[in-house]
């Protein structure tokens, strides 16, 4: 948990945080953005390198078409306008893991602008603007630990040098750490749906920097911002922002001034620390990259890429609500990952009653998975199994109670539903004489309800069905119970 500085509730109420996020996403291309070296993660240091990504003099970059396609697809999914022509630029700075002394990025003519993501907030859905999305190359990695002489020296791995990235810059539209968390969650979900990145934060495929300032509520001009860098989980970003907002309020309340700077977050302590004064854009001496032509993504190519866009999560949820008659909340659960949603839809479409499949997943499957600590992909019961069980309940071949029992067995044995169902073949009472006997006893024991039924209150039948199923320990065939009950109660 973040440790928050001493900031009173009243002080917090006086100020409004203003947050903007910069997210770097690594694209899932096989090769790097300007050379044919592999982008594979985890290979031995400095094995996936060549003169281009080592920044040797005279080596020339050649743009990877797939990286452009992926970047455009992501930009479209984030509702951005694509610029037909964009320009690569050199961002000049010195750093040990940047052998060329500059990074090829995009500056005043980025690939895409003016996008947005809808996020749910306390006051309803709000669009968070995306200022720009541009393409750039990654730098190498400094290794400060893991070697015998790590105490004295830093090692460099240039395998990551030249791996394609997109940078997605949001407008300063976010007003709380919770909103920042929501934005990142939605952003990651959309990118995962497009398939252009695995968004694996542990491997650095998704990295986030946060800009944050505070201002008195009602004041228009922004306060001085700080930038929090290199935070490696969404939860830590939320905690770092909580800490940083309180720290800034504390300074302003005490009559002090915020220093514009870059800060790092120490998750063990829950605190941010100043690293260096923040660079301004002019510090980088940007200029157009002379070794690359302007990037042109013409209308024909854009149309082609737009065709490759999958249905996006929000649109999918809305369609699923309409298609399966489920609630917005149900749709949210079922679309938690694309793989899950795909499996669910295939199963639901094959089942007699898609709505029942949706209900079973939530009422019977999700809870058991949680209890067993399993992701949906590791579920012993496949979506096909859920569909079969739904059909069996639908046709009255098994009761809801039996289904629960069978699901428990599936989890105990680590077997799918069809296999367990075959082994168990649950006993069902289909002998009408036996069922009639139970019904007679139940009606005799509940004369008041029977009278209500005969007086026209037909819904009372539900009570009788429940009683009969209970008396038969869930084994009476529900369809037969319904038919026989109606007949007996009419007399
Ligand atoms: Zn290379």
């Amino acid at each position: 948990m973040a440790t928050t500085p001493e900031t009173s509730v009243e002080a917090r109420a006086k100020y409004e945080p203003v947050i903007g996020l910069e997210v770097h996403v690594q694209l899932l291309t096989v090769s790097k953005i300007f050379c044919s070296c592999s982008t594979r993660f985890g290979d031995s240091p400095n094995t996936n390198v060549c003169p281009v990504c080592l920044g040797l003099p005279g080596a020339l970059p050649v743009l990877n078409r797939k990286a452009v396609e992926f970047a455009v697809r992501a930009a479209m999914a984030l509702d951005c306008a694509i610029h037909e022509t964009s320009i690569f630029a050199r961002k000049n700075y010195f750093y040990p893991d940047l052998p060329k002394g500059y990074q090829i990025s995009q500056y005043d003519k980025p690939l895409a602008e003016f996008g947005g993501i809808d996020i749910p907030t306390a006051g309803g859905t709000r669009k968070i603007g995306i200022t720009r999305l541009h393409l750039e190359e990654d730098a190498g990695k400094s290794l400060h630990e893991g070697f015998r002489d790590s105490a004295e020296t830093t090692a460099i791995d240039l395998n990551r040098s030249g791996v394609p990235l997109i940078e997605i810059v949001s407008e300063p539209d976010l007003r709380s750490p919770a909103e920042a968390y929501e934005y990142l969650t939605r952003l990651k979900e959309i990118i995962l749906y497009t398939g252009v990145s695995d968004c694996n934060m542990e491997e650095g495929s998704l990295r986030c920097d946060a800009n944050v300032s505070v201002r008195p509520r009602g004041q228009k001009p922004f306060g001085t911002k700080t930038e929090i860098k290199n935070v490696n989980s969404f939860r830590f970003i939320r905690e770092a922002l909580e800490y940083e907002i309180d720290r800034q309020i504390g300074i302003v309340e005490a009559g002090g001034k915020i220093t514009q700077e870059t800060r790092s977050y120490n998750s063990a302590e829950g605190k941010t620390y100043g690293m260096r004064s923040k660079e301004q854009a002019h510090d980088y001496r940007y200029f157009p990259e002379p070794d690359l032509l302007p990037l042109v993504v013409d209308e024909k190519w854009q149309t082609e890429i737009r065709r490759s866009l999958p249905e996006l999560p929000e649109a999918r949820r809305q369609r699923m609500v309409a298609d399966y008659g489920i609630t917005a909340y149900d749709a949210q659960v079922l679309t938690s990952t694309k793989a899950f949603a795909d499996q669910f839809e295939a199963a639901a479409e094959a089942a007699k009653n898609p709505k029942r499949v949706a209900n079973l997943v939530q009422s019977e499957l999700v809870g058991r998975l949680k209890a067993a600590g399993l992701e949906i992909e590791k579920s012993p019961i496949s979506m096909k199994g859920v569909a079969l069980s739904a059909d069996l309940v639908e046709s009255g071949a098994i009761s809801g109670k039996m289904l629960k029992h069978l699901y428990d067995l599936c989890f105990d044995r680590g077997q799918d539903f069809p296999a367990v169902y075959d082994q168990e073949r649950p006993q069902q009472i289909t002998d009408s004489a036996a069922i009639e006997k139970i019904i007679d006893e139940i009606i005799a024991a509940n004369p008041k309800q029977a009278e209500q039924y005969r007086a026209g209150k037909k819904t009372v039948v539900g009570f009788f069905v429940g009683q009969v199923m209970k008396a038969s320990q869930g084994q009476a065939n529900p369809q037969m119970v319904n038919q026989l009950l109606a007949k007996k109660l009419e007399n």
Side-chain angles (χ1 to χ4, degrees):
M1 230 358 254
T3 50
T4 44
E6 295 295 311
T7 302
S8 70
V9 176
E10 300 91 81
R12 265 184 219 153
K14 269 164 65 182
Y15 293 89
E16 179 181 56
V18 174
I19 302 165
L21 298 173
E22 289 172 16
V23 176
H24 286 89
V25 174
Q26 185 184 319
L27 300 176
L28 269 180
T29 55
V30 176
S31 56
K32 295 186 181 180
I33 185 168
F34 299 124
C35 62
S36 57
C37 293
S38 168
T39 56
R40 205 166 34 242
F41 181 83
D43 281 359
S44 295
N46 303 309
T47 51
N48 298 326
V49 290
C50 73
V52 173
C53 55
L54 285 174
L56 300 187
L60 288 174
V62 177
L63 181 59
N64 180 342
R65 197 179 150 88
K66 200 76 191 168
V68 176
E69 188 191 312
F70 280 1
V72 172
R73 200 195 291 171
M76 286 174 170
L78 294 170
D79 216 13
C80 292
I82 312 294
H83 291 303
E84 187 164 312
T85 303
S86 60
I87 305 285
F88 283 103
R90 284 192 185 178
K91 182 180 183 180
N92 298 283
Y93 63 98
F94 173 78
Y95 213 68
D97 57 22
L98 189 74
K100 291 199 296 285
Y102 61 86
Q103 177 191 25
I104 303 179
S105 180
Q106 294 188 306
Y107 181 50
D108 52 352
K109 294 202 169 56
L111 177 68
E113 289 182 283
F114 317 120
I117 298 176
D118 287 330
I119 65 162
T121 70
T125 301
R126 201 147 60 77
K127 188 179 267 321
I128 305 303
I130 289 176
T131 317
R132 53 187 278 142
L133 181 152
H134 68 251
L135 258 172
E136 63 186 27
E137 59 178 342
D138 207 347
K141 216 188 229 155
S142 298
L143 306 170
H144 303 289
E145 47 197 39
F147 298 97
R148 215 180 320 155
D149 52 355
S150 283
E152 293 91 38
T153 58
T154 292
I156 303 284
D157 177 9
L158 293 172
N159 280 353
R160 208 177 63 182
S161 170
V163 163
L165 301 177
I166 45 173
E167 180 173 336
I168 302 155
V169 182
S170 87
E171 290 287 302
D173 286 346
L174 298 156
R175 293 291 171 267
S176 70
E179 286 186 8
Y181 184 89
E182 196 61 51
Y183 168 88
L184 289 169
T185 305
R186 300 275 158 165
L187 173 65
K188 181 178 165 186
E189 184 185 52
I190 292 169
I191 297 289
L192 281 175
Y193 261 69
T194 63
V196 304
S197 175
D198 59 18
C199 297
N200 184 332
M201 291 190 86
E202 284 83 48
E203 295 181 1
S205 305
L206 191 153
R207 284 167 260 163
C208 176
D209 303 332
N211 287 298
V212 56
S213 62
V214 297
R215 63 182 172 190
R217 280 184 199 279
Q219 177 190 297
K220 265 259 152 81
F222 293 145
T224 304
K225 67 182 177 185
T226 59
E227 184 181 31
I228 309 169
K229 265 207 175 312
N230 303 328
V231 188
N232 61 5
S233 84
F234 291 173
R235 186 166 65 88
F236 288 159
I237 287 164
R238 189 171 55 194
E239 290 177 9
L241 284 168
E242 279 162 4
Y243 175 87
E244 182 59 17
I245 288 163
D246 273 358
R247 189 188 70 87
Q248 291 187 11
I249 292 172
I251 292 172
V252 176
E253 276 289 281
K257 274 208 157 85
I258 308 296
T259 313
Q260 178 159 338
E261 62 182 352
T262 300
R263 298 178 70 84
S264 69
Y265 180 63
N266 181 321
S267 58
E269 294 175 29
K271 291 180 178 175
T272 63
Y273 288 98
M275 286 162 72
R276 56 174 188 263
S277 66
K278 169 100 179 98
E279 305 84 355
Q280 306 279 337
H282 62 249
D283 292 333
Y284 291 116
R285 304 289 188 271
Y286 281 99
F287 63 86
E289 166 60 58
D291 291 339
L292 287 165
L293 290 168
L295 169 57
V296 177
V297 185
D298 61 17
E299 238 180 85
K300 185 165 161 275
W301 197 10
Q302 286 189 38
T303 309
E304 247 169 61
I305 298 170
R306 198 171 284 284
R307 257 193 238 120
S308 78
L309 262 188
E311 184 180 30
L312 295 170
E314 198 47 50
R316 183 171 206 175
R317 281 192 276 273
Q318 285 173 17
R319 180 181 56 73
M320 281 169 69
V321 166
D323 282 5
Y324 304 110
I326 57 179
T327 64
Y329 175 78
D330 294 349
Q332 184 73 45
V333 172
L334 291 168
T335 52
S336 59
T337 69
K338 183 171 184 292
F340 186 11
D342 288 347
Q343 286 173 36
F344 162 74
E345 288 219 86
E349 275 154 29
K352 291 191 187 102
N353 181 349
K355 166 87 174 148
R356 191 185 291 278
V357 176
N359 284 340
L360 282 181
V361 168
Q362 286 168 83
S363 62
E364 303 300 336
L365 190 62
V366 172
R368 283 178 174 79
L369 287 170
K370 220 178 243 170
L374 293 173
E375 293 295 317
I376 188 75
E377 286 80 12
K378 293 270 172 345
S379 170
I381 304 176
S382 66
M383 283 295 129
K384 272 195 180 132
V386 176
L388 170 65
S389 71
D391 283 351
L392 289 169
V393 174
E394 191 73 20
S395 68
I398 61 169
S399 67
K401 197 174 162 190
M402 279 180 204
L403 177 129
K404 282 177 200 289
H405 177 59
L406 291 170
Y407 270 38
D408 285 340
L409 292 178
C410 290
F411 274 76
D412 285 349
R413 298 176 188 171
Q415 285 180 313
D416 201 355
F417 185 86
V420 171
Y421 178 71
D422 266 354
Q423 291 154 23
E424 296 298 311
R425 280 288 163 193
Q427 289 294 309
Q428 226 191 22
I429 304 172
T430 48
D431 170 6
S432 64
I435 295 175
E436 275 182 68
K437 187 166 165 278
I438 300 172
I439 289 176
D440 288 340
E441 284 166 15
I442 298 289
I443 291 176
N446 299 282
K448 225 172 80 191
Q449 283 82 353
E451 198 42 55
Q452 284 174 346
Y453 181 89
R454 288 182 191 116
K457 197 177 168 195
K458 301 295 181 201
T459 51
V460 179
V461 75
F463 163 78
F464 282 105
V465 171
Q467 292 297 306
V468 174
M469 292 309 289
K470 207 165 137 190
S472 72
Q473 293 175 321
Q475 295 189 336
N477 177 301
Q479 255 180 334
M480 292 178 72
V481 170
N482 272 305
Q483 284 165 7
L484 292 169
L485 256 177
K487 207 171 81 191
K488 294 260 176 191
L489 283 167
E490 295 298 340
N491 297 327

